[in-house]
Amino acid sequence: MNKSDLYLDVLNKSNIDGIKKIWSEALPDNLKNIIGDFSINSYLNKFFDNNKNLGIGLFQTQNIKGFVLYGNDDQIIRSIIIKNFLKILKSFLKDFFKLNTYNLLKYFDVLIFMIFSKKVEFEIKKKNCELLIIAISKENQNKGLGSYLIKNSFKNYKSFFLNYEGVFVKTLKKTPENIQFYKKNNFIILKEAMRRVYLNYKI
């Protein structure tokens, strides 16, 4: 892929279908993906309702090739759980009766994390924005586009980040490739907690 053809642009609700397609294909282990398409759709709609959040897309000839979301999703998650509780329960029971151990462990891991993460993240969230999710379309992975997207989002949208001291991200400790990706992009490890690694980029 010729990077000279690429450009970044701010995302909005009109981009949800393109984002969902990349999300579902590139992040199959993400719990929102496991729960179902409605979960991703609800998340994105709530995300774009908050003008304090920022979604940036990586485009080539008007086709979205990747995206990154910055902001705070605590209220989004709570809202989705309340609004879609029965759908989420149905999805859980489906995996339960199928004895899908992998998915069930995902549910329990995220549930426990949600209960105890407030204390872990309280100080970090005081002064830092969170990189919530980044994904590159499956056919364009391992081409340096994730790094390109992060680097240029910080460069091109400086005004958004002026209100923060840094940008933090959390990733599972069992995914060293993700940790290495963020370290390569000048994130440094802050702490480890609850099987997650927290990294921070100084603005």
Side-chain angles (χ1 to χ4, degrees), residues 9-12 47-48 50-57 67-72 129-133 153-154 156-161 164:
D9 201 0
V10 175
L11 298 168
N12 55 49
F47 177 88
F48 289 120
N50 187 342
N51 59 15
K52 291 183 179 179
N53 294 329
L54 176 66
I56 300 170
F67 67 89
V68 60
L69 305 181
Y70 297 101
N72 186 323
C129 172
E130 184 173 3
L131 190 164
L132 299 166
I133 185 167
S153 65
F154 291 155
N156 296 357
Y157 300 94
K158 287 180 181 177
S159 59
F160 173 80
F161 299 103
Y164 304 99

Side-chain angles (χ1 to χ4, degrees), residues 9-16 19-20 23 32 38-57 64 67-80 83-84 129-134 153 160-161 164 167:
D9 201 0
V10 175
L11 298 168
N12 55 49
K13 287 188 177 183
S14 68
N15 303 113
I16 283 179
I19 297 170
K20 281 198 308 183
W23 188 325
K32 295 177 189 69
F38 75 88
S39 177
I40 299 175
N41 194 68
S42 295
Y43 182 92
L44 291 171
N45 272 286
K46 289 289 183 183
F47 177 88
F48 289 120
D49 280 341
N50 187 342
N51 59 15
K52 291 183 179 179
N53 294 329
L54 176 66
I56 300 170
I64 186 168
F67 67 89
V68 60
L69 305 181
Y70 297 101
N72 186 323
D73 67 359
D74 290 345
Q75 292 181 342
I76 298 174
I77 300 297
R78 283 196 295 271
S79 172
I80 290 172
K83 186 178 179 181
N84 299 290
C129 172
E130 184 173 3
L131 190 164
L132 299 166
I133 185 167
I134 180 171
S153 65
F160 173 80
F161 299 103
Y164 304 99
V167 177

Side-chain angles (χ1 to χ4, degrees), residues 173-190:
K173 190 175 180 180
K174 68 177 183 179
T175 56
E177 67 279 8
N178 290 350
I179 297 168
Q180 191 56 40
F181 166 77
Y182 290 114
K183 287 173 74 174
K184 185 178 73 173
N185 285 284
N186 299 315
F187 284 73
I188 60 169
I189 293 177
L190 284 178

Side-chain angles (χ1 to χ4, degrees), residues 3 10 12 14 19 24 26 42 46 55-56 89 104 110-111 125 138 140 154-155 161:
K3 287 184 181 175
V10 175
N12 55 49
S14 68
I19 297 170
S24 60
S42 295
K46 289 289 183 183
I56 300 170
L89 180 62
L104 291 173
V110 172
L111 178 62
K125 286 187 174 181
K138 208 166 183 181
N140 289 302
F154 291 155
K155 178 182 174 183
F161 299 103

Side-chain angles (χ1 to χ4, degrees), residues 119-133:
K119 187 176 180 181
V120 173
E121 297 182 357
F122 180 74
E123 289 299 325
I124 301 175
K125 286 187 174 181
K126 270 186 178 179
K127 300 176 181 178
N128 298 292
C129 172
E130 184 173 3
L131 190 164
L132 299 166
I133 185 167

Side-chain angles (χ1 to χ4, degrees), residues 113 116-125 128 168-173 179 187-200:
F113 177 76
F116 295 103
S117 63
K118 276 191 176 182
K119 187 176 180 181
V120 173
E121 297 182 357
F122 180 74
E123 289 299 325
I124 301 175
K125 286 187 174 181
N128 298 292
F168 82 95
V169 64
K170 54 181 176 275
T171 188
L172 291 171
K173 190 175 180 180
I179 297 168
F187 284 73
I188 60 169
I189 293 177
L190 284 178
K191 65 164 76 176
E192 295 181 17
M194 302 176 67
R195 302 200 301 156
R196 270 91 174 157
V197 176
Y198 287 80
L199 300 100
N200 192 67

